[in-house]
Amino acid sequence: MAASRDSYFDNAKFLLIFLVVFGHLLRSFIHDNEWMLYLYKFIYTFHMPAFILVSGFFAKGFRKPGFMKKVALKLIIPYLIFQVIYSVYYYFLQDQSMSNLNPFDPQWSLWFLISLFFWNVLLIPFSKLPFKWAMVVSLSIALLAGYVDNISNTLSLSRTIVFLPMFLAGFYLKKQHFEFIRTNAGKIMALLVLMGVFLFCYLYEFDYSFLFGSQSYSSLGDEGWLAAMKRMAWYLLAFAATFSFFALVPTRRFFFTKWGTRTLYVYLLHGFVIKLFRTTWFDDWALNAASVVSLFLLTILLTFTLSSTFVKTVAQPFIELKMTPIMRTMTGRQSSYIK
């Protein structure tokens, strides 16, 4: 049963990183294809909340000695390395100024690493609260933060606050909760919920930037108490879709299950390919030739390639820093986050 549970979470992580890549590929075409826009909104309703929730689930060992040292080694150092690499890459690819080499302003998808570090740090105070109060306090802060006009991408502050409730929910969840939602009745309910979420994205027009959690209410054109109510409604929608996703994740081992241990490689490296596509002939060609199916197949190719043993071997020195025996003794052992 333990192996099945491990396969379950590895399957979940692989499927989520697949959706991350697929969503980023869709992004170039959502202004020219309505169905791609609906699908894009649907994916963004739950794929990062689910990724964050499962990251919180695997953060239960934060009380172990040396936990924060190991978190810094696994998250902050790769963040700084790739912040430099992406800044140089964008300089040559998009003729951006090297002034963008700002360690406090995460490049594109790197926000997740810095936010994940802060979510782990925030477990220190929040874990002292019962689940109910931890959720009430974190949700209240997130709702109020939207009224701060100058909240920004600096150190991924806005996203850290907005997605904190998802991380805390994952931290408090137990394996039994995931087993509970995987009943036959739970799977039927999950399908109905996800169909309803997609129907909502189809029928209701809203700014997809709202799903990123990176902007204030005013920057999204919302004001007053209604703005906070919209964010609260999104939380309900996101949690419902997230748990529905986990209800449908298979538990047995597949050929891609082992790749669920390499999601950090895909997450950090796929941006180089996506950004290259967005600045070359690919977008113009795909605008006429691409369909959801072709982009789906391209996602398969890209995700499988970046999950390969070859890519892991080449990229490992930059992503997964090796610890000496002395460092391992100092920092102890802990569960994986997004590997």
Side-chain angles (χ1 to χ4, degrees), residues 25-241:
L25 280 173
L26 284 173
R27 176 68 178 82
S28 297
F29 313 107
I30 59 177
H31 298 296
D32 301 289
N33 187 305
E34 287 187 344
W35 283 103
M36 288 190 182
L37 174 61
Y38 304 145
L39 185 57
Y40 181 80
K41 288 181 176 180
F42 171 70
I43 291 172
Y44 270 76
T45 300
F46 70 91
H47 80 317
M48 285 313 297
F51 225 140
I52 293 162
L53 186 141
V54 79
S55 297
F57 179 80
F58 283 107
K60 299 186 190 303
F62 86 101
R63 292 187 179 90
K64 293 181 180 179
F67 177 87
M68 289 305 165
K69 291 181 181 178
K70 193 168 185 180
V71 167
L73 186 68
K74 294 179 72 68
L75 298 175
I76 299 301
I77 295 179
Y79 165 77
L80 293 174
I81 291 173
F82 276 85
Q83 181 76 354
V84 173
I85 294 175
Y86 267 110
S87 296
V88 174
Y89 183 68
Y90 293 161
Y91 172 76
F92 289 105
L93 187 66
Q94 301 175 319
D95 196 26
Q96 289 187 2
S97 169
M98 283 302 290
S99 62
N100 288 334
L101 182 56
N102 180 355
F104 300 105
D105 187 16
Q107 291 281 13
W108 200 36
S109 60
L110 296 183
W111 69 267
F112 184 66
L113 295 187
I114 198 72
S115 286
L116 185 53
F117 172 76
F118 285 123
W119 289 325
N120 278 280
V121 172
L122 288 169
L123 282 178
I124 297 174
F126 275 96
S127 65
K128 293 179 170 59
L129 299 173
F131 168 72
K132 179 178 70 174
W133 286 108
M135 295 304 295
V136 168
V137 172
S138 62
L139 285 169
S140 299
I141 294 173
L143 295 175
L144 293 174
Y147 292 107
V148 181
D149 289 338
N150 59 351
I151 196 167
S152 66
N153 196 47
T154 302
L155 288 177
S156 190
L157 178 60
S158 181
R159 284 184 168 112
T160 298
I161 294 173
V162 171
F163 289 112
L164 176 60
M166 282 79 175
F167 186 81
L168 292 175
F171 174 75
Y172 282 99
L173 285 174
K174 301 183 186 303
K175 288 183 178 179
Q176 301 92 291
H177 296 125
F178 291 95
E179 293 171 356
F180 175 77
I181 62 175
R182 295 203 307 268
T183 62
N184 290 334
K187 291 177 181 179
I188 294 173
M189 180 62 68
L191 285 172
L192 294 175
V193 168
L194 290 176
M195 289 172 59
V197 172
F198 183 83
L199 188 62
F200 173 83
C201 294
Y202 171 73
L203 295 175
Y204 182 65
E205 288 190 22
F206 62 93
D207 186 350
Y208 58 81
S209 298
F210 189 85
L211 303 173
F212 300 161
S214 59
Q215 300 179 50
S216 66
Y217 298 144
S218 61
S219 63
L220 293 169
D222 287 323
E223 294 181 1
W225 64 270
L226 187 58
M229 292 300 98
K230 286 183 179 179
R231 175 165 287 179
M232 191 65 216
W234 168 73
Y235 277 122
L236 296 175
L237 198 69
F239 273 115

Side-chain angles (χ1 to χ4, degrees), residues 25-26 28-29 32-33 36 282-296 298:
L25 280 173
L26 284 173
S28 297
F29 313 107
D32 301 289
N33 187 305
M36 288 190 182
F282 173 81
D283 273 5
D284 293 332
W285 167 81
L287 184 60
N288 298 313
S291 65
V292 171
V293 174
S294 60
L295 290 179
F296 189 83
L298 182 58

Side-chain angles (χ1 to χ4, degrees), residues 82 265 269 306 309-320:
F82 276 85
Y265 290 86
L269 298 175
L306 295 180
T309 301
F310 172 77
V311 170
K312 178 182 178 181
T313 302
V314 173
Q316 192 173 40
F318 302 97
I319 296 176
E320 200 170 332

